[in-house]
Amino acid sequence: MNIKILLTLWLGAMTTVGSFASEGKVDSGIDISTLVVTYDYITLDTAYSKRPHRFAYVLQHGGRYDRFFDKRQYEKENDDGGEESFVLPSSLGVIIDRKSNTAETRNAVATTNIMYTEPIPEMEWKIVADSAKNICGHSCKLATTTWRGREWKAWFAPDINVSAGPWKFHGLPGLILEMDDTTGAVHWGATEIKAEKRSMYSPSGEFTPVSREEYNSTLRFYGTDMLGYLNSIGLEPKVNGVSGVSKKMRTHYAPPELE
């Protein structure tokens, strides 16, 4: 019998970013992107559910920055045209700054916004000879790497001379259009590629700087023991109307990085 779980939470933490101008215009921001790629982002946590979680994410590639984030936020920045656009509470994002050689990762965990900055990570790739796959009309080659606790397969397009891809992946002689870890827990697959100019923004608002280790441990704590995490920050969630429940409750947890 399924037990109906009721969690009483107030997720009031929202941050804001600058708006995007109307179609055909480019206003001020941190950069101007010349390439916009939409990816299916699918994660699977079989310890939680047999059903995968599916999102659409966008890569904006600019002269200095790459930004990878939720497509809903990208559309809000494009469509609203107002003074501010709300960041979605569940949104996870990465901003790569090639000039300063830094990567900034931001996320919202319950009511807390956290972020960490690191040097742009290096990956050691092995390109598979005689590999071929057509993705979005581009002939792609296969490359593999082991990175931060997962083994990855990447399909990249040599005819798109951009060394970038989903998440923080880069370093191949062409744009990465598809990424999979070998366990099937994480997948990104390009569904649309547009060469167009768009303003690129960095989320403003309050983000607590943490180390990469603290960031990963926070996500792991919340993902594998949600009630324990919420109690630890004083939210006192209720399960079936009862507060103070100490049972361990998992939520979906399939991060790109395990280390």
Side-chain angles (χ1 to χ4, degrees), residues 31-49:
D31 202 353
I32 304 298
S33 67
T34 54
L35 184 68
V36 179
V37 186
T38 301
Y39 293 86
D40 272 341
Y41 181 9
I42 302 172
T43 60
L44 179 64
D45 176 10
T46 54
Y48 173 72
S49 171

Side-chain angles (χ1 to χ4, degrees), residues 32 50 53 92 106-107 153 158 182 203 209 216 227:
I32 304 298
K50 293 182 179 180
H53 281 201
L92 164 68
R106 303 182 184 219
N107 205 350
K153 295 181 178 180
T182 55
N216 287 336
L227 291 182

Side-chain angles (χ1 to χ4, degrees), residues 117-144:
T117 304
E118 62 177 331
I120 297 175
E122 295 298 325
M123 295 114 189
E124 294 184 4
W125 294 101
K126 295 180 180 179
I127 297 177
V128 179
D130 300 323
S131 56
K133 185 175 184 177
N134 189 285
I135 302 174
C136 294
H138 295 271
S139 179
C140 297
K141 293 184 177 295
L142 177 64
T144 62

Side-chain angles (χ1 to χ4, degrees), residues 76-93:
K76 185 172 285 290
E77 292 174 7
N78 275 268
D79 296 340
D80 282 2
E83 291 296 321
E84 296 177 336
S85 297
F86 285 112
V87 172
L88 298 163
S90 61
S91 185
L92 164 68

Side-chain angles (χ1 to χ4, degrees), residues 40-236:
D40 272 341
Y41 181 9
I42 302 172
T43 60
L44 179 64
D45 176 10
T46 54
Y48 173 72
S49 171
K50 293 182 179 180
R51 298 181 61 183
H53 281 201
R54 183 185 296 269
F55 307 92
Y57 263 58
V58 164
L59 170 67
Q60 282 187 282
H61 174 72
R64 172 174 175 174
Y65 295 94
D66 291 331
R67 184 184 178 195
F68 186 68
F69 62 117
D70 197 307
K71 187 180 181 181
R72 295 170 295 180
Q73 179 61 36
Y74 173 76
E75 291 173 342
K76 185 172 285 290
E77 292 174 7
N78 275 268
D79 296 340
D80 282 2
E83 291 296 321
E84 296 177 336
S85 297
F86 285 112
V87 172
L88 298 163
S90 61
S91 185
L92 164 68
V94 172
I95 296 177
I96 304 289
D97 182 348
R98 294 187 298 278
K99 183 176 180 179
S100 65
N101 191 43
T102 56
E104 187 177 274
T105 305
R106 303 182 184 219
N107 205 350
V109 183
T111 59
T112 304
N113 294 322
I114 58 176
M115 60 168 285
Y116 71 90
T117 304
E118 62 177 331
I120 297 175
E122 295 298 325
M123 295 114 189
E124 294 184 4
W125 294 101
K126 295 180 180 179
I127 297 177
V128 179
D130 300 323
S131 56
K133 185 175 184 177
N134 189 285
I135 302 174
C136 294
H138 295 271
S139 179
C140 297
K141 293 184 177 295
L142 177 64
T144 62
T145 189
T146 300
W147 185 72
R148 291 187 176 172
R150 295 189 185 275
E151 295 181 7
W152 296 94
K153 295 181 178 180
W155 289 95
F156 67 97
D159 65 318
I160 304 178
N161 188 26
V162 172
S163 183
W167 193 241
K168 303 169 189 176
F169 290 100
H170 68 102
L172 286 168
L175 179 67
I176 299 172
L177 298 184
E178 187 171 292
M179 289 285 307
D180 289 278
D181 90 304
T182 55
T183 70
V186 183
H187 165 83
W188 293 287
T191 59
E192 186 178 55
I193 305 168
K194 289 184 177 181
E196 59 183 9
K197 291 185 177 180
R198 294 291 184 212
S199 288
M200 189 188 302
Y201 296 95
S202 174
S204 60
E206 297 297 325
F207 283 81
T208 301
V210 296
S211 67
R212 182 165 67 88
E213 292 75 17
E214 185 179 353
Y215 173 94
N216 287 336
S217 66
T218 299
L219 262 62
R220 188 180 306 111
F221 186 7
Y222 180 76
T224 59
D225 185 10
M226 181 174 62
L227 291 182
Y229 176 81
L230 296 175
N231 281 312
S232 75
I233 61 174
L235 285 184
E236 297 184 359

